[in-house]
Amino acid sequence: MIATIQEKTTSSSPSIISEEEALQILKGEVPFLPIVAKASEERFRHFSNKVRIHILDNIKNGYCPEDCGYCAQRKGGESGIQEYSLKSPEEIWEDAKKAKENGAYRFCMVTSGRGPTDKAVDKLAETISKINGELGMKVCLSAGILDAKKAKTLKDAGLDRYNHNLNTSESKYNEICSTHTFQDRLTTLKAAKEAEIGLCSGIIVGMGEALEDIVQVAFELKRLGVISIPVNFFIPIKGHAIQKSPLTPEFCIRVLSVFRLVNPDSEIRVGAGREGHLGSLQSIALYVANSLFAEGYLNVKGSEMEQTMNLIHDCNMVPEFTEGIPEGWEDYESKFLYDEKNFPELYKHKK
């Protein structure tokens, strides 16, 4: 077994592009392939050909008092999702074991609600400590608004990352949520950072924002030193309450390229919506981003692990598990359409 990887908790490399240049990329004023090549150079400089797979676990679903317009769990959303209270430590432990067996680099626990109570934090801390100690697995937690005391408790338990997405720019934030503010999110990120927890924070693209909003988020995350950035593409399922904007595969790759070039040494993750919005350009995304989700998102299905592994393999890349590259990966074979066993099914006209 390869020794556990030691990661930076904050980004330090300067941005490669300015705000003006980022806007030009998003406007399509810069040719597509040169931008991908430039972003890819930074991706390989910092992460070589490795891809980190994240698996999400909804440890509490629904019953949320917040009105975030992009979320199916929001108050009054009537989305039809299954609601359940916080899972028991035993249930979360079993989910973590399964995630590790399936090849997850990091186990991401997500709970709905404004923020965890002191009692909930203590329970989560016990679970995080056990996952770290017995599975040797990295953990990210997304549990809403935190203060300094709660952040320290989680850090002492061994929490690796805390996720709290900015989602959009400060100027647009009141259009997508009224029950908390952009500043509330910044305060939570500050509490986690001061506790020396690595920050995970990103964006949801496709919520009617202006191109300037996307650029503002990219540079705000740089200012905060965010080391893990999920770039999500809005999935317009039932229960949402915001204006959606059209997304094309090429534009999505441009967005990923901007976030890479603004945050060169941060883990850039192709988040929710990659299957639908990137379509046949998913493989190009991995030459810009070095991370993705498998086995679905919070309330929406996504690619299964086998599909994700095939995507990585076809790009001549390698999955990066908690202990490093999995043993025997060099012998991994994705399903090949033109295997001899498939020939009978390939004929267009059969006798």
Side-chain angles (χ1 to χ4, degrees):
M1 179 181 293
I2 300 174
T4 300
I5 299 165
Q6 296 298 314
E7 293 183 70
K8 298 195 302 181
T9 58
T10 187
S11 67
S12 56
S13 295
S15 297
I16 307 298
I17 57 174
S18 66
E19 292 189 29
E20 181 180 357
E21 289 171 321
L23 197 56
Q24 289 173 340
I25 292 170
L26 296 181
K27 287 180 177 179
E29 296 175 354
V30 184
F32 180 69
L33 289 179
I35 286 302
V36 172
K38 190 173 183 178
S40 181
E41 181 180 352
E42 294 304 316
R43 181 255 193 266
F44 280 89
R45 184 196 313 278
H46 294 284
F47 299 97
S48 68
N49 68 333
K50 299 180 178 66
V51 181
R52 295 172 181 173
I53 302 171
H54 294 242
I55 291 181
L56 287 172
D57 185 20
N58 257 24
I59 60 175
K60 178 186 176 186
N61 211 42
Y63 303 122
C64 189
E66 304 298 292
D67 68 353
C68 307
Y70 52 82
C71 184
Q73 301 185 63
R74 71 183 182 89
K75 160 178 84 171
E78 298 182 0
S79 61
I81 61 167
Q82 180 186 6
E83 297 176 323
Y84 51 84
S85 300
L86 186 65
K87 290 182 178 180
S88 69
E90 292 75 24
E91 289 177 296
I92 298 172
W93 168 252
E94 290 300 323
D95 290 343
K97 283 202 300 183
K98 183 178 179 182
K100 184 176 176 68
E101 290 166 1
N102 283 341
Y105 177 84
R106 182 174 281 111
F107 182 58
C108 307
M109 303 190 301
V110 185
T111 173
S112 61
R114 182 176 179 81
T117 63
D118 289 338
K119 184 178 179 180
V121 166
D122 290 339
K123 289 176 66 175
L124 290 169
E126 289 179 16
T127 304
I128 291 165
S129 181
K130 184 176 181 181
I131 292 171
N132 268 316
E134 299 185 28
L135 289 180
M137 193 177 191
K138 297 180 182 297
V139 179
C140 179
L141 175 65
S142 180
I145 295 172
L146 283 186
D147 57 26
K149 178 184 175 183
K150 291 172 181 176
K152 185 178 185 307
T153 299
L154 294 169
K155 171 63 178 178
D156 291 345
L159 184 65
D160 178 55
R161 293 275 187 272
Y162 193 78
N163 168 260
H164 203 54
N165 292 331
L166 293 183
N167 291 320
T168 194
S169 69
E170 183 171 13
S171 59
K172 185 176 174 58
Y173 202 83
N174 62 359
E175 296 180 29
I176 66 170
C177 181
S178 67
T179 49
H180 62 265
T181 65
F182 188 84
Q183 186 58 49
D184 288 332
R185 291 191 170 259
L186 292 180
T187 299
T188 291
L189 291 172
K190 180 181 177 183
K193 186 173 184 178
E194 289 180 348
E196 299 183 349
I197 299 171
L199 299 184
C200 174
S201 185
I203 188 172
I204 304 174
V205 179
M207 300 192 294
E209 69 281 336
L211 299 181
E212 289 81 0
D213 293 311
I214 298 173
V215 173
Q216 286 173 26
V217 174
F219 279 91
E220 181 68 15
L221 294 173
K222 182 62 193 172
R223 184 187 70 79
L224 294 168
V226 174
I227 197 63
S228 179
I229 302 176
V231 179
N232 302 290
F233 301 101
F234 182 58
I235 304 174
I237 60 174
K238 182 181 177 182
H240 292 148
I242 57 173
Q243 173 190 353
K244 65 177 181 178
S245 50
L247 297 173
T248 66
E250 186 207 9
F251 179 73
C252 292
I253 298 294
R254 286 180 177 273
V255 171
L256 288 167
S257 297
V258 164
F259 276 82
R260 169 59 69 204
L261 293 170
V262 175
N263 304 274
D265 60 339
S266 294
E267 178 180 338
I268 304 297
R269 182 153 55 262
V270 193
R274 68 174 168 91
E275 295 86 353
H277 290 303
L278 271 72
S280 59
L281 296 191
Q282 283 189 68
S283 57
I284 293 181
L286 282 189
Y287 288 90
V288 176
N290 65 297
S291 173
L292 42 63
F293 286 114
E295 304 289 347
Y297 309 105
L298 284 182
N299 288 288
V300 179
K301 293 180 180 179
S303 296
E304 295 179 356
M305 185 57 73
E306 182 181 36
Q307 295 171 303
T308 302
M309 289 294 194
N310 288 345
L311 176 64
I312 294 170
H313 180 269
D314 291 349
C315 291
N316 195 30
M317 297 183 187
V318 295
E320 184 180 15
F321 290 6
T322 303
E323 293 86 9
I325 300 169
E327 186 176 343
W329 173 256
E330 64 275 9
D331 298 321
Y332 180 89
E333 293 184 4
S334 57
K335 291 183 178 179
F336 184 52
L337 179 62
Y338 301 136
D339 280 337
E340 186 174 351
K341 64 184 178 182
N342 295 330
F343 286 175
E345 300 302 320
L346 293 178
Y347 291 119
K348 185 175 179 180
H349 303 290
K350 296 181 181 180
K351 289 184 179 180

